Amino acid sequence: MDDDELQARLKAYEGRPAAVSGTGRDPVNAPMIRHWCEAMGDRHPAYTGPDAIAPPTMLQAWTMGGLGGHAGGRAGAYDELLGLLDGAGCTAVVATDCEQEYVRPLRPGDEVTFDSVIESVSGRKTTKLGTGYFVTTRTDVRVAGELAGTHRFRILKYAPTRREPRERRPRPVVNRDNAGFWEGVREHRLLIQRCTACAALRFPWLPGCGTCGAPGWDTVEASGEGTVFSYVVVHHPPFPAFAEPDHAAGPAGPYGVALIELAEGVRIVSNVVGMPCDRIRIGMPVRLDFRRYDEELVLPVFQGVAA
Ligand code: ZN
């Protein structure tokens, strides 16, 4: 299929339904409104009390089916359109923007219904991400048949631009505030800043003391002893640049990122290396090591200490 034929087929989806007779999973309700307001930090008084309305920007929230999907809903045309784009090599998707119009407020107890239509499919566009097509759907949200608001949602379905594999670990950002730290790392010394006015230790490096505000500082060298204060194990997506040289799981294997509490009392984010990630534990003793990742880059890492 050539480009013109594809464009014609895509255009034919404009005006076709993306969802028909959808119903909100839950009626508009106070707990969801409260959680939303807490997450957004929105304390507007209109969203609480006996006459509360829902924040207008929650419009889409009332139409979402969650992981279980919802009754009524997605029409075949939208899936067909996405399948057509997949077949044309536009396998990647990114949500680009949304627009909402509010016609009447939603209140707790309102039962929401909605219909979505494929409003437009753009011509072929080239973006930094790759070349593809913008697909806009419009969802009309109703209560008792009356329009409450409209939600336009636009995605870009695109063929990802091929990138050079980035095998090298990202470089640290070295600036005048932390240059001394990285000089220490090159000499295999982990240096902690110490305030010359109040002796408080601080890490990461900062231009002033967080305890007393004084600008003067010197350094103390960490003993290298520490414990895991907290950690995550990163499984996906795999970043070959973060593969550990001795990684039993191979270059795409998981890696452990930990907040290490040093014996001196400050904490540092680093990697726990030299052991399977599923053995990392909070409170586990670790010991500082320095690992060379390439001709330029040495990083402080931590080895698990056998109990
Ligand atoms: Zn101080």
Side-chain angles (χ1 to χ4, degrees), residues 171-257:
R171 310 287 99 175
V173 176
V174 180
N175 56 39
R176 66 182 178 181
D177 293 329
N178 67 13
F181 170 75
W182 292 105
E183 280 164 29
V185 168
R186 274 200 293 280
E187 298 163 2
H188 288 201
R189 301 164 72 214
L190 182 60
L191 298 178
I192 302 166
Q193 272 181 313
R194 177 173 56 192
C195 175
T196 48
C198 78
L201 299 178
R202 63 179 188 259
F203 194 92
W205 282 38
L206 292 167
C209 176
T211 303
C212 77
W217 55 271
D218 60 7
T219 59
V220 293
E221 184 175 349
S223 67
E225 304 302 319
T227 54
V228 173
F229 185 82
S230 185
Y231 71 97
V232 292
V233 175
V234 181
H235 291 266
H236 195 80
F239 290 111
F242 285 86
E244 291 298 330
D246 58 358
H247 212 302
Y255 58 96
V257 179

Side-chain angles (χ1 to χ4, degrees), residues 83-97:
L84 184 60
L85 287 164
D86 282 336
C90 297
T91 52
V93 65
V94 62
T96 59
D97 61 289

Side-chain angles (χ1 to χ4, degrees), residues 188 224 270 273 286-291 298-303:
H188 288 201
S270 183
V273 302
V286 289
R287 186 170 297 132
L288 175 66
D289 194 4
F290 288 89
R291 184 162 273 189
V298 172
L299 292 175
V301 296
F302 289 81
Q303 300 271 1

